[in-house]
Amino acid sequence: MKLRLSILAMSILTLAAANAAQLSISIANQSSEFTSANRLAVHAVDGSGLSAGNHDTDPTHMWLNSGDGTFPGGTPASDPDRPGQLAHITFNLGGTFTIGSFHVWNYNEVNANNQQSFTNRGVQTLTISIASTLNGTYTPLIDPANNTTTWTFAQAPGNGAYTGELFSLSAPVSAAFVRFDIKTNYGDANGLVGLSEVQIFSVPEPATWLLLGLGGVTLSIFSRRRD
Ligand SMILES: [Ca+2]
């Protein structure tokens, strides 16, 4: 019976994991984007540059902010944003979902002509907040790695074999919008900061877990009758 229960529990967990679904997210807003060089915020959510889980080094497949305005072509021309941070970007989940994990590919630009790497424009530290409406109250999420509201993304390698980083929340949360408030980059002195791609994953609702559990019990009873 113990074995049977273990198998049942494992089945439920397996089903739940299998039901984690990538959400079809869009950009709700961004503090700025580098429009003239086609480094638009949308390129952080449209799958551009991704192939078999690897993100390439082409900057037109990434979002880059305007920085401090040193380089022309940003909209707005510079990114003053909020005091103490470089930029923000807000993701629209397309509805209210219970989210449990997300996958981030940091800024992975390499100049195709001279192979100069610009991964120092990647996001280093940030807060990640959720809200139920775009202009509602944003609640910061706790990073399970340090138990604070400061998250850290690793610097991209500057090559085409970049698999990004997968982050799991300590507990699933309900959200319709997710905002990254970016505090620091990896050293770019002009305040430029960007991302290659972001994916957000939902988990089954508690009600779904219950149904999965009931289904498992039914299967277990059915199985016993066949013994
Ligand atoms: Ca991309």
Side-chain angles (χ1 to χ4, degrees):
M1 193 60 186
K2 270 187 178 176
L3 177 64
R4 194 184 300 277
L5 283 173
S6 301
I7 292 171
L8 171 63
M10 284 174 64
S11 301
I12 293 172
L13 287 172
T14 305
L15 281 167
N19 279 13
Q22 182 186 343
L23 299 177
S24 182
I25 65 176
S26 59
I27 301 294
N29 59 50
Q30 70 283 329
S31 50
S32 68
E33 57 188 354
F34 218 88
T35 44
S36 71
N38 192 23
R39 299 173 196 184
L40 306 177
V42 67
H43 297 319
V45 294
D46 62 2
S48 57
L50 271 183
S51 177
N54 296 321
H55 201 289
D56 68 20
T57 58
D58 183 342
T60 66
H61 295 156
M62 305 171 197
W63 165 59
L64 186 67
N65 84 332
S66 301
D68 61 8
T70 300
F71 302 103
T75 305
S78 65
D79 195 347
D81 209 8
R82 302 178 179 88
Q85 70 181 38
L86 295 175
H88 74 263
I89 186 168
T90 311
F91 306 99
N92 182 345
L93 307 188
T96 300
F97 294 93
T98 303
I99 58 173
S101 59
F102 57 95
H103 199 144
V104 173
W105 288 261
N106 216 336
Y107 196 77
N108 195 34
E109 177 185 0
V110 177
N111 184 298
N113 296 318
N114 62 14
Q115 299 304 307
Q116 183 179 355
S117 171
F118 293 97
T119 61
N120 65 346
R121 297 172 176 173
V123 176
Q124 184 182 47
T125 58
L126 72 160
T127 58
I128 300 173
S129 304
I130 56 166
S132 54
T133 60
L134 177 58
N135 296 314
T137 302
Y138 281 77
T139 304
L141 299 176
I142 302 291
D143 180 356
N146 59 21
N147 217 26
T148 75
T149 56
T150 300
W151 296 69
T152 302
F153 294 166
Q155 188 170 4
N159 63 52
Y162 180 31
T163 56
E165 283 184 281
L166 183 64
F167 296 89
S168 293
L169 304 179
S170 54
V173 293
S174 176
F177 295 89
V178 175
R179 192 176 74 207
F180 288 0
D181 288 299
I182 301 161
K183 307 296 184 190
T184 59
N185 62 18
Y186 273 94
D188 179 273
N190 300 112
L192 290 164
V193 69
L195 289 162
S196 290
E197 194 77 17
V198 175
Q199 295 176 345
I200 299 175
F201 297 90
S202 68
V203 298
E205 302 289 335
T208 312
W209 280 78
L210 180 62
L211 285 174
L212 286 171
L214 288 174
V217 169
T218 308
L219 285 173
S220 181
I221 291 168
F222 182 71
S223 168
R224 286 190 68 183
R225 283 184 179 164
R226 286 170 59 98
D227 284 349

